[in-house]
Amino acid sequence: MTDGSILAFIAILPFLGALVPGVMIRAGRNACATFTAVPTLLALLLLLIQAPAVMRGEVLTTTIEWLPQLGLSASFFLDGLGLLFAGMILGVGLLITLYARFYLSSDDPMGQFYTYLLLFQGAMLGIVLSDNILLLLIFWELTSLSSFLLIGYWKHLPEGRQGARMALTVTGAGGLAMIGGMLILGNIVGSYNLTDILAQGDVIKASEWYLPALILILLGAFTKSAQFPFHFWLPHAMAAPTPVSAYLHSATMVKAGVFLMARMWPALAGTDAWFYIVATTGLITMVLGAVIALFKDDLKALLAFSTVSHLGLLTMLLGFGTKAAAIAAMFHIINHLTFKAALFMTAGIIDHETHTRDIKRLGGLAKLMPITATIGSITALSMAGLIPLNGFISKEMMLEETLHTTWYHNPWIVPVLATLGACFSVAYSFRFVFHVFGGKVRDDYPATPHDPPFGLYASPALLAILVVVIGLMPHLAEPLVKVAASAVTGAETKPYLKIWHGFNTALYMSALAFVVGIILLYLHGGLARIWDRMPRPEAKALFDAIMQASVSSARWLIAGTHNGVMSRYLAVFVSFTVVIGYHAYATGGAAPATREMLPVPPIVWIGWFGVLAATWLVVSQHHRRFRSLIYLSIIGLMISGGFVYLSAPDLALTQISVETVTILLLLLALYFLPKETPVESSAGKRWRDGAIAVAGGVAVAALAMAFLTRDVDTISAYHLANSYKGGGGTNVVNVILVDFRGYDTYGEIIVLGIAGLTIYALMDALLRGPAAKRLRDRAFSPDRSRDRHPLMMVVVTRAMLPIAMLVGVYIFLRGHNQPGGGFVAGLVISIAFLMQYMASGFAWTQMRQRMEYHTMIGWGVLIAGLTGVGAWLAGKPFLTSAYGYLHFPPIEEFEWATAIAFDLGVFLAVLGAVMLMLYSLSRIARFAGETVNVEPMDYDPSAEAEDNDDAAGQPQTEGQ
């Protein structure tokens, strides 16, 4: 396996692993957790194998082409930034897998949880490893969908369901905006490869589309990373189980927006727009999140708003647009991961053991849960930025950068606000420590507190150790921070990480934050009462109001436009199309006609007037259904004749076959419908609809005339020139269907099969619904012939069947070089079978069936698809035909082509779909009380003659 293919394998491993937990849960919880950890561990090991090359400054890439003409490819690349985030996703994923094993109760569906977790993990890996922005967008939306499943994992909790919907709505809307921005970037650069886009930063910033692209992309990043004013969804996502909160809201999902800003830094950063939008949003979010966090009594809510604040800190640093700020951001990403994931897991342990997360009901836990208190205290103090822990170093680096940042010519705004945010950060961190673990032991805990088993505290304990190690020896993180920051800035960086930078302004700012934070904690009770009384907008209420208004507006719009009246839909659609088409024609500068009309023979005039007359009769007699059907068949036959006249035998064969099958099926369907359609529209509406229909018809005729009377370039010449050379066939129409546009044909037979299956399903529902009673109670006409399956029809159809089968096979085999093919052959044999059913009844014919029609459709689609896959295996595009010549003496040389296998799939799908539709109609007849025959004829004259002879030969008794 090459280095490049390893990247693709790393990205796909979690998705493959997601197939396992749902099965392995039957082997027990330990087996389920183990098999969840295996793909994560394997992906992490493969990533570590690639790490040395990345640490040397190399960028590993791989590309799997899909549709290169459209810029679609599965392209992956690994640089320092990708290595940092992929390592976090997989490393913390392993710890969460272990933690969840002991956190989830026996009532929780663990297999389902681990499946969702691996799906989310795969989506996140796809984001950080993608080298194609279209692929990145797919993974981006997958994170929203999979996080929706994780946040709403506890479906029995209303707040869990609402939190999942809120997260999906906000992040999904941001993702839609981001799609637009990414497509703009691809259009500016002329490539959808991310490496190409990042290399064209000057071109992008010089484009007039830079600002729209920037805003749209930042909307995606801000919503995903819970930046103001989209911060409100993150706290409500805390209704998820704690393993979800620890994974999504410390190391992965919420950092996806930060990753996006870091990844797009070379292409978008360095402008005033970037600075004022990104840095300002981050600064506001940092301060606002810290203030709100101080007044939250729920442990997870406090940590949620602290996460919002720290995400704002990272966004602000990236918004500064300097190398030093990028270094500080990368280092803080590592530090935030270690202390915040551990804190979330600590909160989960407290909730797990005490049955509450309410800080007001806690306190004194240091004596009852010493291990948990040690882990929580170390990580919380790191979050506060206390020396000698890792959070202190990155906080100092952040404060130092604010001193070098001027906002609208004012050098004080940013450092003052950043220090204010740090003050509240110290306050809520100390509150986590002293209000939860400090104080006296209480006697009113909801449950008796005690330290959990090792499996539950092992993961946060390991992270707490990293907090201390990185704080004391920050140089250990220097190599990773260097390659990550270099990837962000697009230039080499030289981080110098150490715990002590001397007495400087940043240290004084930090000391001030420490003092003010202690004062805020001391005054917390009074400040909390003021905060509770203070009027302020409630984000959840605003969101609910916006959603309700959106739903109400949508219902109003739907009620006014989608009222179920098909004639209105068609009237609006056709009118709009005609008006737009006329506008385009009138203002488009259409060239004058270059061809003269050919003379029209009398036979064409007669046919044209015949079609017009039949059309008028359909319109005027449409309420009489049987007559309308006859007139429609006349129109179809006339069109078939037109194809013959214009030397289009393939189209004529197809048209007449489709017409025959359609008319036969509709005749059978008419039996269950009223003979006449009631008049439902007023005269005014009928005149309106008639005028619109005439306008639409005239517009289409004018468009056709415009093309026919002008010289235009078409693709026909290419097809004529390459039909035999490229597809091995002289029947250009058939080669187009099975080769040049085989993918279209493949889609069409799938649609046809779906139509047959849908009709079957609808009929099944019909026979189970309210209409079933009407069918049973229906009184059929008594004046019917007792000879529903007459002798002459039986004899004729029996004789016709082998002939029709032979004709169908002949049409099928000749289709590649002469008029015919699998579609027409399937229709011809369908007609022969339909006649058998009509002649001898469904039951008698069905007893002689050897293959289910559902199976026939499936085999048809499968054979056609495998033919296309075979072209892939040969290194050719999907459904590319291969052909050659064989000679078997004494038979003359003949051609073979793989297209015949595709045609066989078309044949089976068409035949199966038509017969399944017939089967569906017969089910209605039998349900409605129709008799079922077991003989080929209802009335056998020869049998009656024998009965008469037997009666005549019996002796008469007296009295006769």
Side-chain angles (χ1 to χ4, degrees):
M1 186 179 294
T2 64
D3 291 344
S5 59
I6 289 178
L7 289 182
F9 190 56
I10 291 173
I12 202 174
L13 259 176
F15 294 109
L16 297 176
L19 302 173
V20 178
V23 177
M24 291 310 300
I25 189 61
R26 302 188 179 189
R29 293 162 64 88
N30 288 334
C32 184
T34 301
F35 277 87
T36 301
V38 167
T40 305
L41 180 60
L42 180 56
L44 181 59
L45 291 176
L46 293 174
L47 183 71
L48 293 176
I49 292 173
Q50 308 302 308
V54 177
M55 300 301 286
R56 292 192 300 267
E58 299 179 20
V59 177
L60 307 180
T61 61
T62 185
T63 299
I64 302 173
E65 295 291 355
W66 181 32
L67 294 175
Q69 298 87 344
L70 299 179
L72 298 179
S73 62
S75 302
F76 300 95
F77 82 115
L78 182 66
D79 61 358
L81 182 64
L83 178 65
L84 170 62
F85 274 86
M88 292 194 310
I89 293 164
L90 294 171
V92 177
L94 278 176
L95 299 180
I96 294 299
T97 301
L98 172 63
Y99 180 81
R101 159 62 186 87
F102 295 92
Y103 180 88
L104 297 176
S105 72
S106 57
D107 296 330
D108 293 323
M110 182 177 285
Q112 187 181 95
F113 175 84
Y114 281 137
T115 296
Y116 295 162
L117 191 72
L118 286 173
L119 287 174
F120 177 79
Q121 184 183 105
M124 282 300 304
L125 277 178
I127 288 176
V128 302
L129 296 178
S130 291
D131 187 27
N132 184 288
I133 59 174
L134 301 179
L135 184 64
L136 185 149
L137 290 170
I138 293 173
F139 285 123
W140 188 274
E141 296 303 328
L142 279 177
T143 61
S144 295
L145 295 174
S146 52
S147 65
F148 170 80
L149 298 174
L150 284 169
I151 296 170
Y153 172 74
W154 280 337
K155 307 177 187 66
H156 60 284
L157 297 178
E159 57 268 24
R161 298 194 299 270
Q162 186 180 46
R165 289 195 300 268
M166 187 181 294
L168 180 63
T169 302
V170 176
T171 61
L176 291 175
M178 177 181 154
I179 291 173
M182 288 295 192
L183 292 178
I184 291 174
L185 287 189
N187 186 61
I188 294 173
V189 177
S191 171
Y192 293 113
N193 283 341
L194 196 53
T195 47
D196 295 336
I197 292 174
L198 298 181
Q200 297 293 321
D202 293 337
V203 175
I204 293 172
K205 295 165 195 173
S207 171
E208 61 182 347
W209 289 98
Y210 165 73
L211 188 58
L214 175 66
I215 293 173
L216 291 172
I217 292 173
L218 289 179
L219 280 174
F222 289 167
T223 53
K224 190 73 84 174
S225 284
Q227 296 298 287
F228 177 83
F230 310 108
H231 61 285
F232 57 87
W233 71 263
L234 180 58
H236 290 284
M238 293 298 114
T242 299
V244 175
S245 302
Y247 194 42
L248 271 65
H249 306 137
S250 66
T252 52
M253 179 181 175
V254 292
K255 284 202 173 77
V258 174
F259 168 83
L260 181 68
M261 288 183 282
R263 175 60 78 202
M264 303 307 297
W265 201 92
L268 301 177
T271 63
D272 289 342
W274 170 273
F275 170 76
Y276 284 111
I277 295 175
V278 178
T280 304
T281 301
L283 182 59
I284 294 172
T285 306
M286 173 188 171
V287 176
L288 181 63
V291 172
I292 297 175
L294 178 61
F295 300 106
K296 290 297 177 181
D297 295 323
D298 185 288
L299 280 176
K300 287 179 67 175
L302 184 152
L303 294 176
F305 278 104
S306 74
T307 300
V308 169
S309 178
H310 280 268
L311 291 171
L313 184 155
L314 292 169
T315 300
M316 178 187 69
L317 287 173
L318 292 172
F320 289 165
T322 63
K323 289 184 179 181
I327 292 172
M330 295 304 104
F331 188 45
H332 192 68
I333 285 172
I334 298 173
N335 296 337
H336 181 261
L337 162 71
T338 55
F339 64 68
K340 188 55 65 68
L343 282 169
F344 268 115
M345 286 189 267
T346 301
I349 291 173
I350 294 171
D351 186 22
H352 195 271
E353 304 304 330
T354 66
H355 296 179
T356 184
R357 299 196 307 258
D358 189 348
I359 298 177
K360 292 181 178 179
R361 303 188 65 184
L362 297 172
L365 295 184
K367 298 178 182 179
L368 302 175
M369 304 175 68
I371 297 176
T372 305
T374 302
I375 297 171
S377 298
I378 290 173
T379 50
L381 294 176
S382 177
M383 179 168 65
L386 194 68
I387 194 169
L389 304 174
N390 60 355
F392 168 78
I393 306 173
S394 53
K395 184 190 70 172
E396 295 292 294
M397 297 170 67
M398 177 272 293
L399 293 174
E400 180 65 29
E401 284 307 304
T402 62
L403 293 171
H404 305 292
T405 303
T406 300
W407 197 87
Y408 271 108
H409 309 293
N410 190 320
W412 295 104
I413 292 179
V414 175
V416 168
L417 290 178
T419 305
L420 178 63
C423 294
F424 280 92
S425 178
V426 170
Y428 66 66
S429 299
F430 281 3
R431 186 179 182 222
F432 187 97
V433 174
F434 295 111
H435 286 194
V436 175
F437 301 116
K440 297 180 180 180
V441 175
R442 303 173 60 144
D443 57 2
D444 59 346
Y445 300 113
T448 303
H450 57 84
D451 275 322
F454 175 76
L456 199 56
Y457 73 73
S459 295
L462 177 60
L463 292 171
I465 292 172
L466 290 177
V467 165
V468 177
V469 171
I470 296 174
L472 295 175
M473 295 179 285
H475 62 276
L476 296 177
E478 272 189 16
L480 184 57
V481 172
K482 176 182 178 181
V483 294
S486 298
V488 172
T489 60
E492 185 178 1
T493 58
K494 297 179 180 180
Y496 182 57
L497 305 179
K498 60 179 182 177
I499 194 169
W500 183 251
H501 292 82
F503 293 95
N504 54 25
T505 307
L507 180 64
Y508 301 143
M509 295 165 68
S510 183
L512 176 63
F514 180 79
V515 173
V516 175
I518 293 177
I519 296 173
L520 289 172
L521 180 63
Y522 179 77
L523 300 174
H524 178 268
L527 294 175
R529 287 189 291 272
I530 297 173
W531 176 266
D532 291 336
R533 291 194 297 266
M534 184 186 302
R536 59 186 183 276
E538 179 59 40
K540 180 180 179 298
L542 291 174
F543 174 82
D544 291 340
I546 292 172
M547 293 302 297
Q548 184 59 43
S550 301
V551 171
S552 300
S553 301
R555 286 176 177 168
W556 173 81
L557 181 63
I558 291 172
T561 56
H562 294 266
N563 58 355
V565 180
M566 185 62 70
S567 60
R568 174 187 286 190
Y569 301 160
L570 291 174
V572 173
F573 175 76
V574 174
S575 300
F576 184 78
T577 304
V578 170
V579 171
I580 292 298
Y582 176 77
H583 174 75
Y585 178 81
T587 61
T594 57
R595 299 178 181 177
E596 295 182 359
M597 283 281 295
L598 297 174
V600 181
I603 188 66
V604 175
W605 281 110
I606 294 173
W608 187 67
F609 279 114
V611 170
L612 285 181
T615 303
W616 171 253
L617 289 172
V618 169
V619 174
S620 61
Q621 301 291 319
H622 73 277
H623 54 281
R624 296 182 175 89
R625 290 174 170 169
F626 180 76
R627 293 185 185 180
S628 299
L629 189 59
I630 298 301
Y631 298 144
L632 280 174
S633 67
I634 293 173
I635 295 172
L637 291 175
M638 294 297 293
I639 293 174
S640 301
F643 287 143
V644 172
Y645 177 79
L646 295 172
S647 301
D650 270 295
L651 297 178
L653 269 174
T654 304
Q655 174 68 29
I656 200 167
S657 302
V658 170
E659 199 68 34
T660 304
V661 169
T662 304
I663 294 299
L664 288 175
L665 290 175
L666 286 176
L667 282 172
L668 294 172
L670 284 182
Y671 179 72
F672 305 102
L673 298 174
K675 292 183 179 180
E676 296 187 359
T677 303
V679 177
E680 298 178 349
S681 301
S682 63
K685 288 185 177 179
R686 291 199 296 272
W687 279 105
R688 179 206 68 184
D689 294 343
I692 293 174
V694 170
V698 170
V700 172
L703 182 64
M705 179 65 71
F707 273 94
L708 292 172
T709 56
R710 287 164 176 81
D711 293 312
V712 293
D713 294 329
T714 68
I715 200 172
S716 303
Y718 172 83
H719 288 152
L720 289 170
N722 292 275
S723 175
Y724 181 75
K725 181 172 62 177
T730 57
N731 181 4
V732 181
V733 174
N734 184 265
V735 173
I736 291 173
L737 293 176
V738 301
D739 191 319
F740 294 138
R741 302 197 63 175
Y743 197 76
D744 289 349
T745 307
Y746 185 54
E748 288 163 5
I749 65 170
I750 291 175
V751 171
L752 183 62
I754 291 173
L757 295 172
T758 302
I759 291 174
Y760 177 84
L762 288 173
M763 294 304 177
D764 186 72
L766 175 68
L767 299 182
R768 300 173 188 271
K773 184 178 184 303
R774 292 197 296 271
L775 278 172
R776 283 194 297 268
D777 297 342
R778 178 175 176 179
F780 291 94
S781 175
D783 55 343
R784 296 183 306 185
S785 169
R786 61 174 178 166
D787 195 9
R788 289 183 302 158
H789 308 295
L791 172 64
M792 287 301 296
M793 189 172 185
V794 171
V795 172
V796 170
T797 54
R798 296 296 186 278
M800 185 184 74
L801 180 61
I803 300 173
M805 296 280 287
L806 185 62
V807 171
V809 171
Y810 172 71
I811 289 174
F812 173 78
L813 293 175
R814 77 196 295 259
H816 209 50
N817 293 292
Q818 298 293 331
F823 188 85
V824 177
L827 291 173
V828 169
I829 295 182
S830 296
I831 294 170
F833 284 177
L834 278 169
M835 296 304 297
Q836 300 302 312
Y837 282 91
M838 294 179 69
S840 296
F842 187 87
W844 182 88
T845 313
Q846 191 71 9
M847 288 188 296
R848 287 149 181 82
Q849 176 194 349
R850 294 295 179 266
M851 180 183 289
E852 288 287 340
Y853 301 129
H854 304 76
T855 307
M856 193 177 295
I857 295 172
W859 273 111
V861 174
L862 181 62
I863 291 172
L866 289 177
T867 307
V869 173
W872 272 348
L873 297 177
K876 301 290 185 180
F878 186 69
L879 283 174
T880 301
S881 295
Y883 65 94
Y885 296 89
L886 298 176
H887 180 68
F888 292 110
I891 304 174
E892 66 180 19
E893 184 179 71
F894 64 92
E895 180 190 13
W896 66 270
T898 57
I900 196 170
F902 182 78
D903 244 356
L904 176 62
V906 174
F907 167 81
L908 291 174
V910 170
L911 180 60
V914 172
M915 300 313 297
L916 188 59
M917 295 175 193
L918 174 67
Y919 176 75
S920 302
L921 292 172
S922 74
R923 291 178 68 204
I924 297 181
R926 285 176 286 161
F927 186 86
E930 285 290 311
T931 57
V932 177
N933 60 303
V934 294
E935 298 295 332
M937 295 168 285
D938 290 332
Y939 171 61
D940 190 342
S942 62
E944 185 170 320
E946 291 177 0
D947 293 340
N948 291 336
D949 291 342
D950 292 341
Q954 292 178 358
Q956 294 185 352
T957 60
E958 278 188 49
Q960 284 183 324

